[in-house]
Amino acid sequence: MDPTFSVLMNQLSPKNIKQWNEGSFFKAYEILGAHLQENSARFAVWAPRASSVSVVGDFNGWDGRQHPMQKDESTGIWSAFVPEVERGALYKFEIKSPRQKNSFLKADPYGRMMEVRPKTASVVYHLESFDWSDEEWLSRRRKREWRQEPISIYEVHAGSWQRTDDNEPLGYRELARRLIPYVKSGGFTHIELLPVAEHPHDPSWGYQVTGYFAPTSRFGEPKDFMYFINECHKNGIGVILDWVPGHFPKDEHGLQLFDGAPLYEYGDPKKREQKDWNTLIFDYEKAGVRNFLLSNAHYWCEKFHIDGLRVDAVASMLYLDYSKGPGEWAPNEKGGKENLEAIEFLKDVNALVHREFPGVLTFAEESTAWPGVTKRVEKGGLGFDFKWNMGWMNDTLSYITKDEKERKQEPGKITFPMMYNQSEYFVLPLSHDEVVHLKKPLLKKSPGSGHEQFANLRLLLSYLFTHPGKKLLFMGDEFGETREWDENRALDWPLLEKNAHRGIKNLLDDLNRLYKREKALHQTDREETNFEWIETGKDIPSLFAFLRKSEDSSIQVLIVLNFSENEVKSFAPAVFDSLQFDVIFNSDSEYYAGTNGGGFIEEGKLSLEPFSALILKAGRQK
């Protein structure tokens, strides 16, 4: 037997082969890809319909005759043992297919590092020697009950948060030095990174992935990214990765037509393409595709210690007719429009993550009313921990853009999200998607003068941090960025030298501290009995008030929001008759660059400035 083949067979046990063919082999990255050994490397790639495969690289002059690979017929995996290969060697797979006249080159789907774009070769890399020092964080993480705890997420595009003097992106280590103290001082609990898996096209923001197992080389090596995560953990900050298992781009060196025919993508043309993004859809029926994606989720948790996966565009995975017209899709075997195998995959990946990594969270960006997104798999749900509340986001931003007259006419934009709040465990996202493509930055969404726009932003952030649901805010919104986000430039940090913008940042920092401190604001997001409307924007136009209660119902917080351009001169809610309340937050504080108006005008009566929020805490009973 060829020594290369025997090496693969020593790695693949009969149990592994069975798991591979069932589509449940979630550690496939231990077998496939490039694995350094002493003065050599073992290579393996899945290409079941190829007629031949060779490893080519700078170690053999890119000559496909030098290191042909052997195929294991039971799995469709090809392997080769190549001597004198060192860390940093460049390589690809040269593939010949009965369907293609000429051989072609592909990057390694399981490659742990890739060249910096626009180059496309995979890089031989050894991850195992990184010295982690986050044991205390991981131990605490396993015991956390996150649904009852504060989660405040700072969403970051790593390439444009800050940049060098030459307008180049920061590396992972410099990002750790600058970003972590900023996030920590601001009171956020987590950083969520837009996709960092390798991608060739900067304007895709990382959502068109070609290297699923490779942190992008734009910012350094994989161990530099490990350093970033390790430092986050040492500072008490979790790291969530934006993950894209729904579609992949058509780049020649990538997954498309990998062995000369549809392999990672569907063969059925009615299921193959995602037209919104001109990408290809993973074929969740194929065992090798399931192995690839399950292993990828496991890999980021196991090798990089990440704390959460935010699954992008879940709706596009769930529905066969997503963004498709009549005749462009076909019903499933039951006659419905659901993608049955994608549903099973989502259940499986959630079950896997929660079984193997207790305390690691999964988030669904799901924009429809699909039932049970955050219900446990064993109870018939998809198994996510949290769902992005796109309805709340759309209603809220629609409301904030309206003028005085329109706000009076549509109080339901504020009250309706509580009608379905008990249906899921939610994250309230004010994300990157809302500040691009002519949607305007948050500061500029509301009408009125500059002073009124700042007051509206303070009010909007106050509403975000007091409404039931975990919090997510995109970078720049915490200080009132005045331009739409552009991935090619840094945020406008000099704005913080201006009082009004510094006031927004002060307010956001205080809201994060308040959110963490007050159990009523985070402990019982979903319980109907722990939320009570006091005012719903009708009796007093555009004035909303509600009570939040902790598990100990005697701990109560009253939130009052004035979305009107008029001062509320005397508000006396009935709850004042039985409980003594103290103002603990005023969005119009001078510290936040407000007018210092609002608050108690006498016992039992409040005043509120236009576009302002008050938060009060219940004390003793009267």
Side-chain angles (χ1 to χ4, degrees):
M1 180 181 290
D2 187 285
T4 295
F5 189 67
S6 64
V7 167
L8 177 62
M9 288 300 96
N10 287 336
Q11 299 292 323
L12 274 174
S13 67
K15 180 181 178 181
N16 292 154
I17 294 172
K18 182 174 184 292
Q19 290 173 327
W20 177 271
N21 290 318
E22 291 174 345
S24 61
F25 189 25
F26 58 83
K27 290 187 177 181
Y29 58 84
E30 293 183 346
I31 305 299
L32 286 98
H35 296 267
L36 274 174
Q37 300 171 347
E38 188 173 354
N39 298 321
S40 63
R42 174 175 52 83
F43 296 87
V45 64
W46 180 53
R49 288 167 299 188
S51 55
S52 69
V53 183
S54 297
V55 184
V56 296
D58 54 8
F59 44 82
N60 64 11
W62 302 91
D63 184 350
R65 297 169 298 179
Q66 297 297 311
H67 295 106
M69 305 179 81
Q70 298 293 317
K71 183 181 182 182
D72 168 37
E73 295 293 344
S74 67
T75 60
I77 297 173
W78 299 73
S79 62
F81 181 80
V82 181
E84 298 181 5
V85 173
E86 297 181 349
R87 178 183 181 276
L90 304 179
Y91 72 100
K92 285 187 178 182
F93 296 114
E94 183 181 277
I95 299 174
K96 294 182 180 179
S97 165
R99 301 191 183 194
Q100 304 276 354
K101 181 178 180 181
N102 299 315
S103 62
F104 50 91
L105 297 179
K106 290 289 187 179
D108 184 355
Y110 287 81
R112 297 184 173 192
M113 184 176 174
M114 293 183 72
E115 286 186 290
V116 179
R117 49 83 176 98
K119 296 180 179 179
T120 59
S122 301
V123 181
V124 176
Y125 198 83
H126 185 63
L127 291 175
E128 278 63 35
S129 61
F130 183 79
D131 186 17
W132 290 95
S133 55
D134 61 349
E135 295 83 3
E136 183 179 348
W137 167 268
L138 297 180
S139 178
R140 290 201 315 270
R141 187 183 73 183
R142 283 189 284 270
K143 303 169 186 174
R144 304 291 284 269
E145 296 290 342
W146 283 114
R147 285 176 171 174
Q148 283 73 50
E149 296 191 38
I151 295 180
S152 180
I153 302 166
Y154 188 58
E155 189 189 31
V156 173
H157 177 259
S160 60
W161 178 72
Q162 289 184 1
R163 293 170 81 93
T164 68
D165 293 340
D166 297 326
N167 198 36
E168 292 296 322
L170 303 180
Y172 293 119
R173 290 178 181 261
E174 182 63 15
L175 200 62
R177 189 181 72 82
R178 299 191 196 185
L179 177 59
I180 292 171
Y182 182 80
V183 169
K184 187 175 182 179
S185 66
F188 291 96
T189 62
H190 291 74
I191 294 169
E192 180 175 318
L193 295 170
L194 270 63
V196 297
E198 194 58 82
H199 52 282
H201 191 47
D202 288 16
S204 79
W205 308 336
Y207 289 97
Q208 298 203 6
V209 181
T210 50
Y212 273 80
F213 289 80
T216 178
S217 298
R218 288 167 175 80
F219 315 131
E221 297 184 3
K223 287 179 184 175
D224 297 325
F225 186 46
M226 289 175 163
Y227 173 86
F228 172 82
I229 296 171
N230 194 55
E231 291 301 304
C232 284
H233 289 172
K234 287 162 61 177
N235 283 276
I237 297 167
V239 180
I240 300 164
L241 293 190
D242 215 333
W243 190 50
V244 192
H247 62 108
F248 60 90
K250 299 177 180 179
D251 296 71
E252 289 295 325
H253 69 282
L255 299 179
Q256 67 105 15
L257 299 176
F258 189 80
D259 59 359
L263 182 64
Y264 285 90
E265 67 269 42
Y266 280 110
D268 183 349
K270 289 190 175 182
K271 299 175 78 172
R272 183 184 305 153
E273 293 201 44
Q274 179 47 258
K275 293 187 176 181
D276 281 1
W277 306 299
N278 190 31
T279 52
L280 299 169
I281 300 171
F282 281 107
D283 183 351
Y284 308 101
E285 286 188 302
K286 290 196 186 88
V289 173
R290 290 171 52 81
N291 296 330
F292 175 78
L293 292 172
L294 291 172
S295 294
N296 191 238
H298 192 280
Y299 173 81
W300 289 111
C301 298
E302 174 71 22
K303 297 297 186 182
F304 288 87
H305 295 196
I306 64 101
D307 303 287
L309 293 170
R310 178 266 194 187
V311 182
D312 178 60
V314 170
S316 74
M317 301 171 67
L318 294 173
Y319 298 98
L320 294 168
D321 65 341
Y322 185 87
S323 290
K324 294 179 179 178
E328 295 180 334
W329 66 282
N332 63 36
E333 61 191 41
K334 298 180 180 180
K337 62 181 180 180
E338 300 81 13
N339 187 329
L340 300 178
E341 59 266 22
I343 294 165
E344 290 307 307
F345 163 73
L346 288 170
K347 291 179 179 180
D348 287 347
V349 77
N350 279 313
L352 170 69
V353 169
H354 294 134
R355 181 183 73 243
E356 298 290 317
F357 306 100
V360 171
L361 301 172
T362 58
F363 302 81
E365 186 212 16
E366 203 285 304
S367 54
T368 74
W370 186 277
V373 172
T374 59
K375 185 185 290 186
R376 295 303 185 200
V377 172
E378 59 270 21
K379 294 185 177 181
L382 294 182
F384 288 93
D385 292 288
F386 296 99
K387 171 181 172 174
W388 275 28
N389 193 337
M390 310 297 280
W392 175 89
M393 179 272 295
N394 286 320
D395 282 344
T396 298
L397 295 184
S398 171
Y399 187 80
I400 206 74
T401 61
K402 298 181 183 302
D403 61 23
E404 173 77 8
K405 181 181 178 181
E406 292 174 316
R407 288 185 183 182
K408 288 179 180 178
Q409 294 172 346
E410 296 198 54
K413 294 290 186 184
I414 299 298
T415 57
F416 181 68
M418 285 307 300
M419 297 292 289
Y420 58 85
N421 185 66
Q422 288 74 42
S423 64
E424 302 283 0
Y425 290 94
F426 285 119
V427 170
L428 309 179
L430 295 177
S431 74
H432 65 280
D433 276 328
E434 309 318 314
V435 294
V436 291
H437 303 323
L438 303 179
K439 294 180 183 178
K440 300 181 181 179
L442 288 189
L443 178 65
K444 300 294 185 180
K445 287 184 184 292
S446 58
S449 66
H451 169 77
E452 290 172 327
Q453 288 183 327
F454 276 99
N456 269 289
L457 180 53
R458 295 194 298 267
L459 174 58
L460 172 61
L461 294 174
S462 302
Y463 176 47
L464 166 67
F465 274 85
T466 54
H467 191 284
K470 308 309 181 187
K471 322 302 176 187
L472 181 141
L473 192 68
F474 185 57
M475 63 183 198
D477 292 336
E478 78 279 8
F479 61 78
E481 175 65 86
T482 58
R483 304 180 297 183
E484 285 193 343
W485 170 53
D486 182 341
E487 75 274 3
N488 294 310
R489 66 176 182 229
L491 299 178
D492 196 357
W493 292 101
L495 289 175
L496 278 169
E497 299 172 8
K498 299 180 179 181
N499 186 52
H501 294 273
R502 188 69 209 173
I504 298 291
K505 181 64 168 64
N506 290 340
L507 173 130
L508 193 282
D509 292 355
D510 281 355
L511 283 171
N512 259 326
R513 284 188 278 268
L514 186 67
Y515 170 59
K516 286 181 178 177
R517 185 177 74 240
E518 298 298 334
K519 292 182 179 180
L521 294 180
H522 65 252
Q523 199 174 57
T524 55
D525 281 336
R526 190 172 163 180
E527 285 72 12
E528 188 173 8
T529 56
N530 294 87
F531 180 96
E532 179 183 346
W533 280 112
I534 305 298
E535 288 289 335
T536 58
K538 296 177 181 178
D539 293 339
I540 306 175
S542 303
L543 183 78
F544 301 85
F546 51 88
L547 278 174
R548 299 286 308 275
K549 305 173 186 178
S550 71
E551 289 179 346
D552 177 355
S553 60
S554 67
I555 301 175
Q556 300 186 29
V557 172
L558 174 67
I559 295 93
V560 188
L561 309 167
N562 180 18
F563 284 96
S564 168
E565 65 184 12
N566 301 312
E567 179 188 4
V568 175
K569 295 183 177 179
S570 181
F571 176 55
V575 70
F576 282 179
D577 295 339
S578 57
L579 288 171
Q580 178 75 40
F581 281 84
D582 297 309
V583 175
I584 58 174
F585 174 88
N586 181 352
S587 71
D588 198 54
S589 165
E590 191 174 39
Y591 182 58
Y592 308 140
T595 66
N596 240 20
F600 279 106
I601 53 175
E602 58 181 90
E603 185 176 353
K605 292 184 179 180
L606 292 172
S607 71
L608 286 94
E609 291 298 299
F611 311 123
S612 70
L614 293 176
I615 303 175
L616 302 92
K617 186 172 183 180
R620 58 179 174 82
Q621 288 190 333
K622 290 186 175 179

